[in-house]
Amino acid sequence: MDYKRNPPETFKDVDAMSGEEAQREVKALREGIEFHDYRYYVKNQPVIADALYDKLFRRLQELESAFPELQSETSPTRRVGAAAVSRLKKINHCAPMLSLDAGLEAADVARFIDFVRRNVGDEETAFVLEPKFDGFSVEIVYDRGVLKYGATRGDGQAGEDITHNLKTIAAVPLRLQRRNDAPDTLSVRGEVFMLRKGFQQLNRRRIEQGEAPFANPRNAAAGTMRQLDPKNVAGKPLDIVFYEILSTDGGMPATHSEMLKQLSEWGLKTYDRNQKVRSLEQIKSYRNNLAEERAHIEWDIDGLVIKLNDYAQRERLGVRHRSPRWAFAWKFPPKEEVTTLEDIVVQVGRTGILTPVALLAPVDVGGVTVSRATLHNESEVKRKDVRPGDQVRIARAGDVIPEVVERVDRPGKARGDPFAMPSQCPACHGRVHKEGAYHFCSNRLQCPAQLIGAIIHYASRPALNIDGLGEKTAAQLVHRELVKDISDLYRLTEADFLKLTGFAEKSARQLHQAIQARTRPGLDRFIYALGIRHVGQRIARILAETFAHFDRLARADRSELEAIAEIGPEIAQSVTSFFGQDDNRQVLARLEQAGVQVVGTTDAGRSRPLEGKTFVFSGKLDEYTRTEAEAKVAALGGRATSSVSGNTDYMVAGHDPGSKYEQARKQNIPIIDEDGFKKLVS
């Protein structure tokens, strides 16, 4: 029976059917419904009426109910059949999910094209142009053509498992078309977004129910996809477009345009007006057409993406730490409106940076009501010469963050003197110091405005790794005044945690024990945990190896610090300023009184056995995240890169390694498993 082109409108009575008949019909119905989903949601070319589709769907539900043994997790009826999850689990990506370099000017694009052509040696090389979707980036993995899992982008190396919610989006195939042609493992990247019309309807319902509206469709998509219960996601106006193969154990197409065609053949929705070009003029023309059509497209876009078409040329260019050298985003200028600047206040961020903020007469900018906007820093306020009472032009930079672009008019006499940054922090009255164009509160460990961020950073995995102490808990501890600086964490009792929302006896006991288990941190982790400006994990390790003991580092002056090869004046100033701040010294003393003993290292100046060695990781490791494994290599003098080249010394292969594994094998690069890696770094 043909359920694709000529489906029946009447069916045999279920009670009169044998199990074998039901099995054949269920198989045909699933294949037919998958085909019609593909035609409707991916191709926008339905071949049957909606009423007939609904009839097929109800018939499948009826058969699965009558014959429970035929139920399957890949059935179209299971899109909203998953149970709610207790939390979003972390999941490592098959390959890094990189961000893009971006610019607003044609000159930026010209420089990108010139760079590419100079480095690949091809003046006629082609590029593929795609809209830059203003959505929520995800990885989806298929195993033998069946959806296995999907995850958020996260930090680019690992994200949160949102499989249960992705299954509710009709354009996400539970099984690929042409599965016989699909590789055993396929990891693809796509963008989940919310349709504009549906976004407005969603916000209307939220307001009517007394909930805060979402700021924009991107925030709405991100917030919706992080729900724990898929029933809260089903029916939301979400869609998806796929645009990249991240990893596969099958062969990769030779070009990006061929890859997009392959995705479409597998039933993965792609934008149907991507274009291959060879000149800057063609790119400008595409951009102009896209900008004109922007208001009429059903979803938000904030520019276009320019990608080198040839994959072999991409491999030669490689990637930077966070972005590929073969792609560039040409962003649209922000949307603008004029309103009255009513006042300027100073906001203290979680990293201590002081930002002047304009309070505005509310104005609609691109469909979002804006009542406050950033002024960036003191120099910007003075350059624009804006004061309360001025008429100012407001833009949503990147269509999201509002900012004051310029003063348009000054009706009558402006109120007050030109703006100046305060000498004391508005949140804690600590000393404010200036670095370049920005002002910072020096009271890193005690300032209430910074304290939530300081606690989250202190407890983070690369720092003291206190499991269970996340943003929501940190915020409650600060807002309820249970923690006034990080030393107070060690004085908390189980009873204190029971006062917080979301805690029961077991979770309170576990978090209390997790904190108390971190009273003897290693020196490098403790240095990093303090959140000293400009001191990341690598610099923290260098400082630990050089000074060996915490008190020696705390007494070091700028000349001692600058004598270290990788420490420049800016880092040296930041470290000495941190330890020179009386408020910070008091918190460090209270940490010691609370029982925190920093374990110094006795191997300062130790040998670096992996010096000069380059590692590439592929697949999932059991005992390390990708970040931890790369940090281990760096601590021993080696370096980790994201792509295989002639300079690669070791390929570390975890579970389900991707195409990089095959590249390493073909180039005769030594391949080791996780046990081999552990032996090497032990």
Side-chain angles (χ1 to χ4, degrees):
M1 195 169 290
D2 186 1
Y3 284 88
K4 295 181 179 180
R5 297 294 176 181
N6 189 29
E9 299 197 32
T10 59
F11 305 98
K12 185 175 180 178
D13 189 330
V14 170
D15 293 334
M17 295 182 71
S18 67
E20 188 175 329
E21 288 177 313
Q23 184 175 19
R24 284 197 302 270
E25 187 172 340
V26 163
K27 181 176 184 293
L29 277 165
R30 286 174 182 163
E31 290 177 352
I33 290 170
E34 287 171 357
F35 171 78
H36 295 303
D37 283 343
Y38 170 68
R39 297 290 301 187
Y40 186 91
Y41 294 108
V42 178
K43 289 297 186 182
N44 292 316
Q45 297 171 344
V47 294
I48 62 172
D50 289 352
L52 182 51
Y53 175 90
D54 293 341
K55 187 175 289 187
L56 297 179
F57 199 90
R58 286 194 297 271
R59 174 64 172 180
L60 178 58
Q61 289 176 316
E62 182 184 20
L63 287 173
E64 289 181 345
S65 176
F67 297 88
E69 68 276 11
L70 299 179
Q71 293 177 6
S72 168
E73 286 301 313
T74 60
S75 172
T77 61
R78 296 293 293 171
R79 286 198 178 275
V80 199
V85 299
S86 59
R87 63 186 179 89
L88 300 181
K89 298 180 295 184
K90 288 288 184 182
I91 191 164
N92 291 328
H93 296 309
C94 294
M97 295 181 69
L98 303 173
S99 54
L100 291 175
D101 278 349
L104 288 169
E105 307 297 332
D108 300 324
V109 179
R111 281 190 291 271
F112 164 71
I113 292 171
D114 179 63
F115 164 79
V116 169
R117 287 181 168 160
R118 279 189 290 105
N119 284 277
V120 301
D122 184 355
E123 287 297 319
E124 295 298 318
T125 191
F127 299 89
V128 173
L129 308 181
E130 304 168 357
K132 185 176 182 298
F133 297 94
D134 193 13
F136 179 72
S137 192
V138 297
E139 175 195 30
I140 299 182
V141 176
Y142 288 88
D143 182 23
R144 294 174 178 82
V146 177
L147 193 153
K148 184 178 181 182
Y149 66 83
T152 67
R153 180 177 180 270
D155 63 2
Q157 299 291 341
E160 295 172 314
D161 188 342
I162 55 168
T163 311
H164 57 298
N165 291 332
L166 285 167
K167 285 182 175 180
T168 70
I169 302 175
V172 174
L174 302 180
R175 300 192 300 175
L176 298 178
Q177 300 285 315
R178 296 177 53 178
R179 286 184 293 282
N180 293 338
D181 295 338
D184 286 347
T185 300
L186 175 69
S187 164
V188 290
R189 182 170 180 174
E191 199 86 359
V192 173
F193 51 86
M194 186 168 283
L195 302 179
R196 274 203 209 103
K197 184 178 179 181
F199 166 71
Q200 298 296 349
Q201 293 171 346
L202 177 64
N203 264 355
R204 187 180 300 115
R205 286 197 299 271
R206 288 178 68 86
I207 292 169
E208 289 170 352
Q209 294 167 3
E211 299 177 280
F214 288 113
N216 52 64
R218 178 168 63 181
N219 286 5
T224 302
M225 291 307 294
R226 286 193 170 95
Q227 294 279 322
L228 298 180
D229 190 344
K231 291 184 176 64
N232 295 331
V233 182
K236 296 295 189 295
L238 295 166
D239 206 339
I240 191 169
V241 166
F242 296 92
Y243 51 83
E244 200 75 64
I245 293 178
L246 286 172
S247 177
T248 176
D249 59 3
M252 280 288 288
T255 66
H256 188 71
S257 52
E258 291 173 11
M259 184 277 300
L260 291 172
K261 181 181 177 183
Q262 180 67 78
L263 290 181
S264 182
E265 290 174 352
W266 285 329
L268 297 163
K269 186 175 183 176
T270 60
Y271 187 66
D272 59 1
R273 296 179 65 183
N274 298 324
Q275 186 174 329
K276 186 166 76 173
V277 300
R278 295 184 183 275
S279 71
L280 178 59
E281 291 307 312
Q282 289 175 307
I283 295 173
K284 289 179 179 178
S285 175
Y286 183 90
R287 179 182 183 274
N288 292 338
N289 291 336
L290 196 62
E292 289 177 7
E293 297 171 3
R294 183 184 184 189
H296 307 292
I297 297 175
E298 293 181 342
W299 51 83
D300 283 351
I301 57 175
D302 58 358
L304 68 150
V305 180
I306 307 159
K307 297 179 180 177
L308 183 59
N309 191 38
D310 188 283
Y311 280 3
Q313 292 177 340
R314 287 187 184 187
E315 192 68 30
R316 284 158 60 186
L317 288 179
V319 298
R320 302 177 184 87
H321 178 58
R322 292 187 177 274
S323 61
R325 292 188 173 91
W326 41 261
F328 188 81
W330 189 0
K331 304 194 78 173
F332 290 136
K335 296 170 184 173
E336 300 181 345
E337 292 292 343
V338 174
T339 189
T340 302
L341 192 159
E342 297 184 338
D343 200 0
I344 299 175
V345 296
V346 175
Q347 175 179 292
V348 185
R350 291 186 179 179
T351 60
I353 190 170
L354 273 63
T355 303
V357 175
L359 302 184
L360 309 163
V363 62
D364 185 281
V365 184
V368 175
T369 299
V370 173
S371 59
R372 50 190 285 150
T374 181
L375 286 160
H376 296 295
N377 55 58
E378 183 182 51
S379 300
E380 279 290 287
V381 181
K382 290 181 176 178
R383 183 180 67 80
K384 294 169 181 173
D385 188 22
V386 291
R387 307 180 195 181
D390 288 347
Q391 290 287 296
V392 292
R393 190 182 311 281
I394 305 300
R396 286 172 58 211
D399 283 358
V400 178
I401 304 169
E403 66 171 323
V404 176
V405 178
E406 63 179 351
R407 186 183 83 235
V408 176
D409 189 23
R410 178 166 288 161
K413 189 176 180 181
R415 303 193 300 273
D417 298 323
F419 174 81
M421 275 291 191
S423 59
Q424 290 185 315
C425 172
C428 69
H429 307 295
R431 180 170 57 85
V432 170
H433 69 277
K434 186 177 181 183
E435 290 184 28
Y438 295 94
H439 291 71
F440 294 87
C441 170
S442 301
N443 188 13
R444 166 68 180 160
L445 301 181
Q446 245 177 334
C447 176
Q450 300 181 67
L451 187 52
I452 295 173
I455 293 170
I456 295 168
H457 181 77
Y458 188 81
S460 67
R461 192 166 186 170
L464 266 67
N465 191 19
I466 302 174
D467 191 33
L469 184 47
E471 182 174 359
K472 290 182 179 178
T473 302
Q476 289 191 77
L477 290 171
V478 173
H479 293 154
R480 295 178 184 236
E481 299 186 344
L482 292 170
V483 172
K484 295 183 178 178
D485 66 60
I486 58 173
S487 71
D488 289 335
L489 291 171
Y490 295 94
R491 297 182 176 89
L492 294 169
T493 65
E494 291 182 24
D496 289 325
F497 291 117
L498 287 172
K499 299 173 185 176
L500 307 182
T501 303
F503 277 83
E505 288 187 13
K506 182 179 179 181
S507 52
R509 182 174 63 255
Q510 288 175 333
L511 181 50
H512 179 260
Q513 291 173 347
I515 293 172
Q516 295 304 316
R518 296 295 184 268
T519 55
R520 289 180 56 79
L523 179 56
D524 60 336
R525 282 179 173 263
F526 186 72
I527 295 169
Y528 174 71
L530 293 176
I532 303 170
R533 187 164 164 76
H534 304 309
V535 177
Q537 289 175 262
R538 188 173 64 87
I539 297 299
R541 283 194 297 271
I542 291 169
L543 293 172
E545 291 173 356
T546 303
F547 290 98
H549 297 285
F550 185 71
D551 58 346
R552 285 169 56 185
L553 171 63
R555 294 195 304 267
D557 59 28
R558 286 190 59 173
S559 60
E560 288 180 87
L561 290 161
E562 289 184 34
I564 303 169
E566 296 189 57
I567 306 294
E570 191 174 27
I571 297 175
Q573 169 62 34
S574 181
V575 172
T576 54
S577 175
F578 177 88
F579 288 109
Q581 179 77 11
D582 185 57
D583 291 324
N584 291 337
R585 289 201 302 270
Q586 289 179 21
V587 174
L588 292 171
R590 286 197 287 272
L591 279 166
E592 188 175 356
Q593 292 165 8
V596 176
Q597 298 178 343
V598 182
V599 179
T601 175
T602 57
D603 59 349
R606 68 186 177 188
S607 63
R608 292 158 68 83
L610 300 184
E611 189 81 55
K613 300 296 183 185
T614 299
F615 287 72
V616 173
F617 294 86
S618 183
K620 300 172 188 174
L621 302 178
D622 292 326
E623 297 187 25
Y624 300 89
T625 65
R626 183 70 57 83
T627 301
E628 288 171 340
E630 291 178 350
K632 190 76 173 174
V633 168
L636 298 175
R639 74 187 190 105
T641 62
S642 60
S643 58
V644 176
S645 71
N647 296 322
T648 303
D649 294 290
Y650 291 100
M651 156 63 68
V652 181
H655 301 297
D656 300 323
S659 57
K660 288 184 285 189
Y661 175 87
E662 289 301 319
Q663 294 171 25
R665 190 177 59 79
K666 290 176 182 176
Q667 296 180 40
N668 294 319
I669 291 168
I671 297 174
I672 58 177
D673 61 12
E674 185 169 3
D675 287 337
F677 176 69
K678 286 193 292 186
K679 290 176 183 176
L680 194 64
V681 300
S682 64

